Amino acid sequence: MSELEQLRQEAEQLRNQIRDARKACNDSSLSQITAGLDSVGRIQMRTRRTLRGHLAKIYAMQWATDSRLLVSASQDGKLIIWDSYSTNKIHAIPLRSSWVMTCAYAPSGSYAACGGLDNICSIYSLKTREGNVRVTRELSGHTGYLSCCRFLDDSQIVTSSGDTTCALWDIETGQQTTTFTGHTGDVMSLSLSPDSRTFVSGACDASSKLWDIRDGMCRQSFTGHVSDINAVIFFPNGNAFTTGSDDATCRLFDLRADQELMMYSHDNINCGITSVAFSKSGRLLLAGYDDFNCNVWDTLKGERAGVLAGHDNRVSCLGISSDGMALATGSWDSFLRIWN
Amino acid sequence: MSGSPEIEELPATQTGPKGVIHDWRKFKLESEDHESVPSNKRELLRQMSNPKSSKDDTQEKVLHKMSVQEYEMIQEEDERCLRKYRRQCMQEMHEHLSFGPKFDVVFELDSGEAFLDVIEKEHRLTLVVVHIYDDGIRGCDALNNCLTCLAAEYSTVKFCRIRASATGAGERFSDDVLPALLVYKAGELLGNFMSITKHLNEEFFALDVENFLNEYGLLPEKELAAGPEEDENADVE
């Protein structure tokens, strides 16, 4: 038997072993177990603030860890730092490219980052001595668009790209410390685990992967979706994560069970999900769709608990603050809204 | 009103990174001069924009959202063209969503069937607001007057009202949950407000009801907000 044939057989055996192990611990379904749980009832959120200032569609946003400031990126080629309590703009940062896909806020609050069709992750220092905002680094190296970036701390950032890789960067040197390869399609999104030791990525190859940040290895791979995964977010306790896909479903994957636990879908829903967020307890899952609609799901029971912003589908991106007190949504009409 | 052509579904990929790619392709095809984008490149952009057009639908294309040639087309863009394009994007969305039948009065529904009809049979883009009321219940008259005002201002929204006793489900709507406001679109319940007067002051007006509904994101914008024309003052080096 040729070596290639041997390797093929070995791979097939491993695949079967994984499948059997998953089946063995799959003794029930999440919906069966939560059947007796009270439903969360109808969720109807109210707009508490409207943030006006951008001149075009909001492409991305992220809350700062203080749950008060947030950063938004828009088609108007600007990054704006907002104070969500007062609705004041703290900074308005012009970008070199209007085609920005992602933005991030460092946990310390000292830096913001963004990137998009320019393939570059630009780092901005928000707390310079002079009081203005400066580009401090342009992290280039990806050969595809920058779909997502998330700060680990002031000196490290993780990025995902249309070149099918993710990367951990040393911001000081501007170099990639680690490259995470394995996806066969554009990587669309990433989410850092609460303990910052791992992150999960979702890609156009319909799979999501759990990566060890330190050694660059892919620890687990999850399949199930039948089309591109556009968004991923860790469950608050770090033991699970949810993905949103072009197949019009969101799915909850558990790390210990190594498989899908629940699917969030409805016959009436036919378009892809591009943003997902959990409430602080994880009981609610917010999903933003390609038609600018936003649904609220009961994570445990798998039922829809509400629709955000009922009319005039407006939601282009969303995020929940870390204190769980507010949901921010960006819209095609240039406004951001704060809800709870 | 009727007889206008139906605007097609929004193209897929409007949000997220793929939405950005879609917007960029559209900008290159529609907003830039033909000189800056030669015809063979335009053909590529058109093909990439339309997922079903490609005959040899290879795996490659499914896995990768931007082609190598397209990456090469990314360059500095004319700010004026960009500004025009952004306004055009918002205007198109606004028009798409305000398309549909127009109304200017509050419709009285006289039976449970009429109620079901209005919920299920209206145009899928039409927001339907139903006020369930009854005579002698505090707030119902005032709310009816408010809705009459709003019906004139929000022509794409169909405001209706029905007596609790006429719904055929009178027991469900006991006096203490009236007046109730139910909001539907494309057959789905979007908003459900029992005893809505509890959320309003003793004396309330159309503006209060309007603000209330707006807070829940339930009313459309009355007209497209005219944003500031010049760039914001930036504080970046």
Side-chain angles (χ1 to χ4, degrees):
Chain A
M1 202 188 301
S2 73
E3 195 179 333
L4 191 57
E5 193 47 45
Q6 269 182 304
L7 286 171
R8 268 207 200 102
Q9 280 203 358
E10 201 180 317
E12 194 53 37
Q13 268 176 354
L14 284 170
R15 236 196 303 270
N16 289 336
Q17 272 177 4
I18 293 176
R19 195 195 53 215
D20 293 340
R22 282 178 176 166
K23 226 168 151 186
C25 65
N26 188 5
D27 56 349
S28 177
S29 77
L30 184 58
S31 23
Q32 279 176 320
I33 293 180
T34 59
L37 202 62
D38 280 341
S39 99
V40 286
R42 167 167 293 277
I43 303 290
Q44 297 189 130
M45 290 193 241
R46 288 172 86 144
T47 299
R48 306 297 173 180
R49 299 284 189 279
T50 300
L51 308 180
R52 290 163 227 264
H54 276 300
L55 302 174
K57 185 201 271 181
I58 312 294
Y59 279 140
M61 60 77 48
Q62 199 193 16
W63 283 96
T65 49
D66 66 3
S67 296
R68 174 172 180 153
L69 301 184
L70 61 95
V71 61
S72 61
S74 159
Q75 191 192 66
D76 67 4
K78 292 255 175 40
L79 219 55
I80 296 185
I81 309 285
W82 307 86
D83 174 343
S84 64
Y85 289 14
S86 66
T87 75
N88 289 339
K89 291 185 269 302
I90 311 293
H91 297 294
I93 308 164
L95 306 172
R96 294 231 181 95
S97 165
S98 303
W99 313 107
V100 54
M101 294 169 167
T102 179
C103 59
Y105 218 125
S108 68
S110 303
Y111 297 91
C114 70
L117 279 186
D118 57 357
N119 301 1
I120 294 173
C121 182
S122 303
I123 311 289
Y124 297 86
S125 169
L126 305 176
K127 303 202 172 150
T128 60
R129 248 194 337 204
E130 301 78 36
N132 51 10
V133 175
R134 238 174 5 102
V135 180
T136 49
R137 277 292 173 272
E138 285 184 331
L139 306 173
S140 58
H142 277 303
T143 54
Y145 58 87
L146 204 88
S147 52
C148 190
C149 60
R150 290 289 176 252
F151 280 94
L152 265 179
D153 52 46
D154 283 357
S155 55
Q156 299 180 97
I157 191 167
V158 185
T159 56
S160 64
S161 168
D163 67 9
T164 76
T165 70
C166 295
L168 169 69
W169 303 78
D170 176 329
I171 296 176
E172 194 60 33
T173 63
Q175 299 301 310
Q176 285 190 10
T177 311
T178 315
T179 310
F180 305 88
T181 52
H183 277 299
T184 53
D186 298 3
V187 187
M188 303 301 295
S189 174
L190 72 97
S191 174
L192 300 176
S193 63
D195 66 10
S196 300
R197 295 216 196 112
T198 59
F199 72 91
V200 76
S201 63
C204 293
D205 57 13
S207 78
S208 43
K209 290 177 185 291
L210 179 76
W211 306 88
D212 183 314
I213 290 185
R214 209 66 76 74
D215 63 23
M217 302 295 292
C218 169
R219 294 266 164 246
Q220 283 169 270
S221 259
F222 301 82
T223 52
H225 278 295
V226 297
S227 185
D228 301 355
I229 293 176
N230 299 314
V232 291
I233 189 80
F234 253 99
F235 189 77
N237 68 8
N239 289 330
F241 64 92
T242 285
T243 49
S245 162
D246 271 355
D247 66 11
T249 72
C250 290
R251 292 173 203 235
L252 178 72
F253 292 93
D254 187 286
L255 300 183
R256 292 162 304 182
D258 192 37
Q259 60 196 284
E260 179 185 319
L261 289 191
M262 180 82 90
M263 188 167 78
Y264 306 93
S265 67
H266 193 278
D267 288 337
N268 289 350
I269 299 174
N270 296 315
C271 69
I273 293 98
T274 58
S275 53
V276 282
F278 274 113
S279 62
K280 193 163 167 75
S281 68
R283 183 63 193 270
L284 299 180
L285 169 69
L286 272 288
Y289 292 72
D290 246 333
D291 62 356
F292 299 100
N293 201 9
C294 177
N295 284 318
V296 186
W297 296 90
D298 178 333
T299 309
L300 296 180
K301 294 182 77 84
E303 301 162 348
R304 199 148 54 135
V307 177
L308 184 78
H311 180 93
D312 250 3
N313 309 354
R314 283 180 188 272
V315 179
S316 51
C317 59
L318 56 87
I320 293 184
S321 59
S322 47
D323 66 1
M325 294 298 289
L327 161 72
T329 56
S331 167
W332 58 260
D333 65 6
S334 82
F335 301 139
L336 287 127
R337 289 173 178 86
I338 311 293
W339 313 72
N340 59 27
Chain B
M1 205 170 77
S2 57
S4 336
E6 175 74 55
I7 292 187
E8 339 77 62
E9 291 290 338
L10 272 179
T13 67
Q14 291 284 309
T15 56
K18 283 186 247 171
V20 179
I21 295 173
H22 167 91
D23 290 346
W24 172 80
R25 280 193 187 121
K26 196 161 155 245
F27 173 72
K28 297 299 272 187
L29 278 173
E30 296 175 11
S31 303
E32 282 199 332
D33 306 323
H34 283 241
E35 290 98 67
S36 45
V37 189
S39 58
N40 58 335
K41 294 273 160 48
R42 298 181 78 80
E43 191 46 44
L44 171 67
L45 287 168
R46 236 173 254 123
Q47 273 185 18
M48 293 297 288
S49 310
N50 188 350
K52 299 182 196 108
S53 73
S54 176
K55 281 180 201 128
D56 52 325
D57 213 309
T58 59
Q59 265 271 291
E60 268 304 299
K61 193 179 160 197
V62 172
L63 295 170
H64 304 293
K65 304 299 152 181
M66 286 270 290
S67 61
V68 173
Q69 298 101 304
E70 283 181 308
Y71 276 111
E72 286 162 11
M73 284 192 252
I74 297 172
Q75 61 193 49
E76 284 284 317
E77 284 130 355
D78 179 46
E79 183 60 28
R80 237 174 359 137
C81 288
L82 281 171
R83 249 182 280 193
K84 209 171 123 200
Y85 175 70
R86 290 163 194 152
R87 272 199 292 271
Q88 183 195 321
C89 279
M90 291 197 285
Q91 186 62 37
E92 277 172 8
M93 271 304 292
H94 186 79
E95 276 166 13
H96 176 91
L97 292 170
S98 46
F99 183 79
K102 303 280 190 286
F103 318 89
D104 54 8
V105 292
V106 180
F107 293 83
E108 182 83 41
L109 304 170
D110 53 12
S111 67
E113 285 88 60
F115 186 12
L116 283 174
D117 274 350
V118 87
I119 293 168
E120 292 169 3
K121 296 190 182 151
E122 286 303 321
H123 190 280
R124 61 183 173 78
L125 286 180
T126 298
L127 192 78
V128 178
V129 177
V130 184
H131 172 204
I132 304 183
Y133 72 103
D134 229 328
D135 299 317
I137 305 219
R138 204 184 69 75
C140 289
D141 262 346
L143 188 54
N144 275 331
N145 291 337
C146 292
L147 296 182
T148 302
C149 289
L150 294 182
E153 289 178 47
Y154 288 90
S155 56
T156 56
V157 179
K158 185 168 188 177
F159 289 91
C160 306
R161 65 188 199 199
I162 183 170
R163 276 202 170 75
S165 39
T167 59
E171 342 72 62
R172 291 245 186 100
F173 300 111
S174 58
D175 287 3
D176 53 353
V177 301
L178 298 184
L181 217 60
L182 302 174
V183 184
Y184 295 88
K185 189 166 148 202
E188 277 197 63
L189 180 65
L190 301 180
N192 176 8
F193 307 99
M194 297 286 140
S195 315
I196 189 175
T197 38
K198 287 207 184 88
H199 297 278
L200 302 165
N201 291 332
E202 184 85 22
E203 233 192 300
F204 60 90
F205 304 97
L207 190 64
D208 302 307
V209 179
E210 185 181 6
N211 287 339
F212 178 80
L213 290 173
N214 264 326
E215 282 186 1
Y216 287 88
L218 291 169
L219 287 177
E221 294 283 303
K222 277 196 270 210
E223 69 218 12
L224 187 61
E229 287 293 325
E230 331 75 56
D231 279 359
E232 292 282 326
N233 276 332
D235 57 341
V236 179
E237 269 163 38

